[in-house]
Amino acid sequence: MGEQKNAPAQDINQLLKIRREKLAELQEAGNDPFTITKYDVTHHSQDIKDQFDTLEGQSVSLAGRIMSKRVMGKASFCNIQDLKGNIQSYVARDSIGEEPYKAFKKMDIGDIVGLKGEVFKTKTGEISIHASEVTLLSKSLQILPEKFHGLTNTDIRYRQRYVDLIMNQDVKDTFIKRSQILASIRKYLAKEGFMEVETPMLVANAGGAAARPFETHFNALDEDLKLRISLELYLKRLIVGGLERVYEIGRVFRNEGLDTRHNPEFTLMELYQAYTDYNGMMDLTENLYRFVAQEVLGTTTIVYNGIEMDLGKPFERITMVDAVKKYSGVDFNEIHTLEEARAAAKAHNIAYEERHGKGDILNLFFEEFVEEHLIQPTFVCDHPIEISPLTKKKPENPEYVERFEFFMNGWEMANAYSELNDPIDQRERFKAQEAQLAQGDEEANTTDEDFLNALEIGMPPTGGIGFGIDRMCMLLTDSQAIRDVLLFPTMKSLDK
């Protein structure tokens, strides 16, 4: 690995030049690695280690990247890294032939090779491959980061994820786990009779959430369109159409800031089930989280940032009013007017806007005093109607709605409703949203006439929920930032 050690810029340029010269030599000799189209792989590195007892003395072939190389005259060692890990290979001149050995000695760290040979164990007990053939499959023209210092600059790690995946095994493990999380979600929902669907990303009306959309222009129709901010309104149309259990896992886009838990494009899962309510969604959430943790981690106890969270116990259920009372001492059951709510906000240094109603102020109290305490799995239920424009009212208390947010680690992990299916009520709520939009709320929804038409056709009582998949992946992989579970997170342009 000596070629990489903190070499000054002119040395790096010289090393890059040498790699290109090596490639030119290979091409002139008719050995251009880039003309090779396939290589037959029989085993991966970890498979060989796991199955050593049956593979010892057997011939195998694998392919991967040279990560280290030690040349010692007539015999050398190299380490090959593939999808599942890495394995040592012993490469001797007498085993592969004089000319192929000369070619091997010229190979560089980062080159991709195919290797055939016999499985054996060295004197020190390391499972290895005694090579009988080494084939250069791709020439690396760049230089990998120095092995012992690794790739630690987070900005470069996110911009050049392909290098990050090569240099940091734990990063690769995180993304393998992410794939397993998605697969186990689909497995659970298939078992429960849900159907996976796809709905438009480019929409005329971006509704279903409080968020500012990205806007674009469709030249062929000369129409302005938006990127979806949620999956809700199209999935509900499918419930109207008689598809009783539907879900979608897909990217949504919100024209908002970047931080450790927010990226402008992220993965959302929404699902809708006819003939159930938000209590049914609580049961589904609890069972789904348990199932996924058990499938992917082999346990229902997860540890994030040193904090243990138990998915095996029944999840706590508490109303928003009771949660605010518990952590702030303010009881909104005793607050009956907007003036009283504003007075309570002033007394507790909660900043509110003129347009905020009593329910908005309750929510501000919740955000200020409660969220950070919700570490163990907790359902916070019965939100004020002002912040829930698509949710059924509680029949016994119409200031509140049948909604819950699911919290873990102080984060909102999911948001669920007994869905509003009254088209007359829905139209009034859209009107209220339009009024907020007119007052400068860029996150307010606009009226969606086709969606109202669907509700007029008739939607059954329905439970619906939206899950933040990226946050779920963060918790289950102990990742500190959303960028650590997004293969290619949004980054500021280097030209700026």
Side-chain angles (χ1 to χ4, degrees):
M1 298 295 289
E3 66 174 22
Q4 291 115 328
K5 278 186 183 170
N6 304 321
Q10 65 267 30
D11 291 355
I12 293 284
N13 290 335
Q14 183 60 25
L15 292 168
L16 294 173
K17 184 166 174 274
I18 290 167
R19 289 195 176 206
R20 278 167 172 71
E21 287 169 355
K22 286 182 182 178
L23 175 63
E25 281 174 30
L26 287 165
Q27 290 169 331
E28 283 164 21
N31 296 321
D32 186 349
F34 298 126
T35 61
I36 296 173
T37 57
K38 62 175 288 201
Y39 188 82
D40 291 326
V41 173
T42 62
H43 294 79
H44 282 91
S45 55
Q46 193 59 44
D47 303 333
I48 294 166
K49 292 176 181 179
D50 291 344
Q51 299 163 34
F52 176 74
D53 290 347
T54 53
L55 288 175
E56 186 177 14
Q58 303 292 311
S59 180
V60 296
S61 72
L62 77 161
R65 193 178 295 275
I66 299 175
M67 295 304 288
S68 66
K69 188 166 160 244
R70 211 164 70 247
V71 176
M72 302 177 297
K74 298 176 186 177
S76 303
F77 283 96
C78 68
N79 195 284
I80 306 295
Q81 178 173 295
D82 62 13
L83 172 69
K84 296 187 179 178
N86 58 73
I87 195 164
Q88 177 176 270
S89 178
Y90 174 68
V91 184
R93 186 189 68 182
D94 295 346
S95 299
I96 69 169
E98 193 159 338
E99 287 307 310
Y101 189 65
K102 277 184 188 170
F104 170 76
K105 288 205 291 185
K106 288 185 176 179
M107 291 179 195
D108 291 303
I109 306 302
D111 285 355
I112 295 171
V113 297
L115 195 141
K116 288 181 185 166
E118 198 173 284
V119 177
F120 78 109
K121 199 177 268 188
T122 64
K123 287 174 187 170
T124 58
E126 184 167 354
I127 295 167
S128 307
I129 296 165
H130 189 145
S132 57
E133 187 182 296
V134 182
T135 308
L136 181 63
L137 302 176
S138 182
K139 182 75 191 157
S140 174
L141 300 179
Q142 272 290 357
I143 294 171
L144 291 173
E146 203 274 319
K147 180 182 176 185
F148 298 104
H149 295 101
L151 180 62
T152 54
N153 180 309
T154 51
D155 192 66
I156 295 174
R157 283 183 49 228
Y158 298 142
R159 289 183 193 279
Q160 297 183 16
R161 184 66 86 186
Y162 41 91
V163 181
D164 191 23
L165 289 165
I166 294 166
M167 300 307 298
N168 295 314
Q169 182 61 40
D170 58 332
V171 171
K172 189 189 284 185
D173 291 343
T174 292
F175 287 105
I176 290 169
K177 269 202 187 114
R178 182 184 172 113
S179 178
Q180 291 168 343
I181 288 165
L182 288 165
S184 60
I185 288 170
R186 288 185 164 102
K187 183 176 173 183
Y188 177 81
L189 292 176
K191 183 167 67 79
E192 294 296 313
F194 281 85
M195 172 179 166
E196 185 172 9
V197 297
E198 292 169 302
T199 63
M201 290 192 185
L202 281 171
V203 295
N205 188 333
R212 184 179 173 187
F214 287 91
E215 297 181 7
T216 187
H217 187 76
F218 183 21
N219 292 335
L221 294 181
D222 192 24
E223 284 184 1
D224 289 333
L225 293 173
K226 298 179 176 73
L227 289 173
R228 66 184 181 188
I229 59 171
S230 117
L231 314 172
E232 179 164 350
L233 301 184
Y234 281 98
L235 292 176
K236 284 181 175 177
R237 287 167 167 90
L238 299 180
I239 295 288
V240 170
L243 304 180
E244 293 181 4
R245 296 185 181 205
V246 294
Y247 77 97
E248 180 171 7
I249 297 173
R251 281 292 172 101
V252 297
F253 308 87
R254 298 183 181 180
N255 201 347
E256 297 166 353
L258 294 160
D259 63 29
T260 56
R261 280 187 278 157
H262 294 89
N263 195 69
E265 54 175 310
F266 62 98
T267 303
L268 185 63
M269 177 174 80
E270 290 197 31
L271 66 83
Y272 293 85
Q273 179 179 337
Y275 311 113
T276 191
D277 62 3
Y278 74 144
N279 292 303
M281 291 297 103
M282 281 188 229
D283 295 339
L284 183 145
T285 303
E286 201 162 325
N287 293 331
L288 173 66
Y289 259 78
R290 263 188 214 127
F291 179 86
V292 172
Q294 191 66 51
E295 283 267 307
V296 177
L297 306 177
T299 176
T300 55
T301 302
I302 65 169
V303 178
Y304 182 82
N305 212 9
I307 298 166
E308 200 171 275
M309 286 166 258
D310 189 353
L311 295 166
K313 290 180 186 167
F315 297 1
E316 185 184 354
R317 303 184 181 195
I318 188 170
T319 67
M320 185 182 273
V321 169
D322 286 345
V324 167
K325 183 180 175 183
K326 179 176 177 181
Y327 292 106
S328 76
V330 177
D331 186 354
F332 269 75
N333 284 326
E334 303 299 321
I335 291 175
H336 304 292
T337 66
L338 178 56
E339 288 67 33
E340 288 172 0
R342 286 176 172 175
K346 282 175 184 164
H348 289 79
N349 298 315
I350 301 280
Y352 60 85
E353 295 176 32
E354 198 60 33
R355 63 186 172 82
H356 282 150
K358 182 183 132 188
D360 295 297
I361 293 172
L362 168 63
N363 189 50
L364 293 172
F365 265 87
F366 175 76
E367 289 171 354
E368 180 68 28
F369 288 103
V370 182
E371 285 189 5
E372 64 184 302
H373 298 288
L374 305 177
I375 304 301
Q376 295 303 317
T378 305
F379 294 116
V380 176
C381 314
D382 302 352
H383 292 51
I385 194 167
E386 291 93 330
I387 61 166
S388 313
L390 297 161
T391 319
K392 272 193 175 180
K393 295 173 187 170
K394 290 184 72 64
E396 72 281 9
N397 190 354
E399 284 187 16
Y400 295 91
V401 296
E402 294 193 349
R403 171 184 175 186
F404 73 78
E405 288 175 297
F406 173 50
F407 281 83
M408 284 180 70
N409 194 48
W411 303 347
E412 181 201 332
M413 305 298 294
N415 184 22
Y417 309 153
S418 298
E419 301 297 334
L420 180 61
N421 62 345
D422 176 347
I424 296 163
D425 188 353
Q426 182 65 79
R427 184 175 289 281
E428 289 305 310
R429 300 216 211 162
F430 273 141
K431 270 187 197 164
Q433 288 280 299
E434 297 264 16
Q436 287 187 25
L437 194 67
Q439 289 173 18
D441 183 356
E442 292 181 327
E443 296 185 345
N445 288 189
T446 53
T447 303
D448 186 328
E449 289 293 346
D450 182 72
F451 176 65
L452 288 170
N453 185 61
L455 289 189
E456 287 179 2
I457 296 287
M459 186 172 91
T462 298
I465 188 165
F467 288 89
I469 296 295
D470 305 308
R471 289 186 189 179
M472 185 182 197
C473 291
M474 285 173 70
L475 276 188
L476 294 179
T477 61
D478 198 9
S479 298
Q480 301 309 301
I482 193 169
R483 288 177 174 187
D484 296 327
V485 297
L486 298 176
L487 278 165
F488 300 102
T490 303
M491 303 289 288
K492 186 177 181 182
S493 169
L494 290 171
D495 299 332
K496 294 285 184 184

